[in-house]
Structure formats: C-alpha cells, structure tokens
Amino acid sequence: MSIDKKFIDEFVRVTSRAALATYHLLGLEDKISADKAAVDSMRHELNKINMNGQIVIGEGEIDKAPMLFIGEMLGSMKGPEFDIAVDPLEGTNFAAKNLPGALSVIAVSEKSNLLKAPETYMEKIATSQVDKGVIDLDYSVEKNISNLAEFKNKLPNQLTACIMDRPRHKNIIETLKKMNVKLKLITDGDISGALLVSNEKYKVDIFFGIGGGPEGVLAAVALDAFNCHFQGRFIFKTSEDKNRAFKMGIKDLDKKYELNEIISGDSIFCATGVTSGDLVNGIKINKNKFYSETFVTHKSSGSKQIIKLNQII
Ligand code: VTB
C-alpha cells in the first residue's frame, strides 16, 4: 500500500494555511499566540481531509495540550489510516522575533509506521547517503569527520557541519574547529538544519547534535525520501520522562534508532515557510491572495519538490 499522490496537495494546504495563520503574528514577541494560531488552523484543515488520521507527534499529551495532542483522531474518518506528526510552528522564536527560518511542518505515514517520539531531547546525526559503517552516532566526532572526508574524497576543511549553537555542544564544536571543519551554527530550527544534508546546494555535509526528539522524527521522514543517513537516540533526564516514554511503548531507553526504525513504508512530508529561510521562502501577501512555498517529499513517487502556491486568503 502507498499513500495516494492526491494527499500531497491536501497536506500542502494544511501547512500553507497554518503558515498564513502565523504570518499575522510575526514579530510580536508572542510565541504562544503564534503557535496557537498555527495549531488551530492545522487542526481545522486536517479535519477536512478524508482520512482516519491519528496524531503520533503533536503538541503533547491530552492533559497538557488542548488540541493536536498525541492520540487525537483527525479527518472525516472516511479514508485511509494515517499516522501524523506535526510541528505547526517550528521555530517559535523565529516567528516571535520575525527572523528567518520559521516553518509549519507535517509528516504523514501509513498507520503504525512512524515512531512515537516523546517530548524529550534527541541526539542526532545526518548526512547524505553513505556506505554502511561510515557514519555512526556511536563514533567520536573525529572518526565521523575523517570517515566522511574519506568517503567524499575531500579534506575535513572542505566539509561543513551544521549544529545548534548551544553550550551543550561545546565539545563537538571545539573538535570541529580543531579539525578545521566549517561550521554552520544555527540558533534554532533543527528540522531545517538536518534537511540541509539532503542536497549539495545547501553546502552542508553533516548535521550533528542534540535537539528536540519530535523534530528529529519529523526530519527523518523527509531524509528517508532522499535516501539520506540519519540516526537518533532519545535523551531522558528525569524518571518522569523515562516513565512517560515507557508508557508510549519505548522499551529500550538507550536505543539508537536507525532511519528505518523511525519511519517505514510510504510517507509525505511538508514544510511551508512562515518566514524565509534556507529551505523555502516565507508567506507573502498581495491583496486577497497569499503566496507560499512548501518543501515536499513523497517517498513512493520519488517526488521531492518546492510547491509554490498563490491562494485566496
Ligand atoms: C529544539 C530544536 C527545535 O527548539 O527542540 C529547540 O529541535 C529547543 O532546544 O528546532 P533548546 O531547549 O536547546 O532551545 C527548536 O530550535 C525550535 O525552536
């Protein structure tokens, strides 16, 4: 079974409308309202689709999130069964400050094919397609960089690594500097950061570091369509985190997830630009119409494209 191509347009509509909903709140330094606008819009649009959709990654658990909570059923309940992961506003800081890189993101798989990621951090590594054993989350930074350089027939100083600029990454960043690897230090938005390895035009060879677990799973769906390499491992700090993950079905808390254990089968990924960034441009409004750009992948058809739309508001 695969996901019918017709659903691409439907999910692009969902993320482009959510991006539009947030557009009006850009630069107001109000992360909560900007996120809420995207969530409300996304839920409204998802419910119009002829599907049995279930949120597996959303705004949190039912007691914490009034909508798009994990387990929530969406759609007309007539149609195929999907697992749905959403990040209605990825980069809430970007939106609140009207900075580049805010996105509205959704990933959809056939039922039971998407990893349910708890709201915790994830250690991640992503590159373009490499031979087995070249890159591994368990290797040192040095080993990954020298292996990648050898694989790409380059020197370490000809490689670029993308990583979130956080104190927790001090050691990785120091090592990369010592090896003369070029850095692309991002302040937020590690879905986009990870996706930069999907095409040479972005000039990023490797993505490293610890960011949100849900964001890791969302990025993995698109990276799977590009046949990229991705591994992730959740990081649980408190016993409460661990219990919650256990209840969600994660038995081995230290497990290193390979891409095919995060997403299997067919999938659709859509990320619409709220503000312009590395992947796509942001929403533009002209009279009664809005223009949107959406980064889209559909695994089974091999479709990978930026869908540009002019829609009536
Ligand atoms: C991460 C990253 C996201 O927020 O979740 C980050 O994956 C939070 O990490 O893309 P910190 O606690 O270190 O800020 C984002 O950057 C979304 O803004």
Side-chain angles (χ1 to χ4, degrees), residues 17-26 34-35 37-39 88-89 95 102 104 274:
R17 289 270 154 194
L20 172 69
T22 308
Y23 174 87
H24 302 287
L25 296 158
L26 287 177
D35 192 46
V39 171
L89 181 57
S104 178
V274 179

Side-chain angles (χ1 to χ4, degrees), residues 289-308:
K289 285 193 162 171
F290 75 104
Y291 170 82
S292 64
E293 289 191 8
T294 307
F295 181 101
V296 179
T297 66
H298 179 218
K299 171 98 175 167
S300 63
S301 67
S303 168
K304 306 180 233 331
Q305 51 179 328
I306 307 283
I307 294 186
K308 301 177 180 182

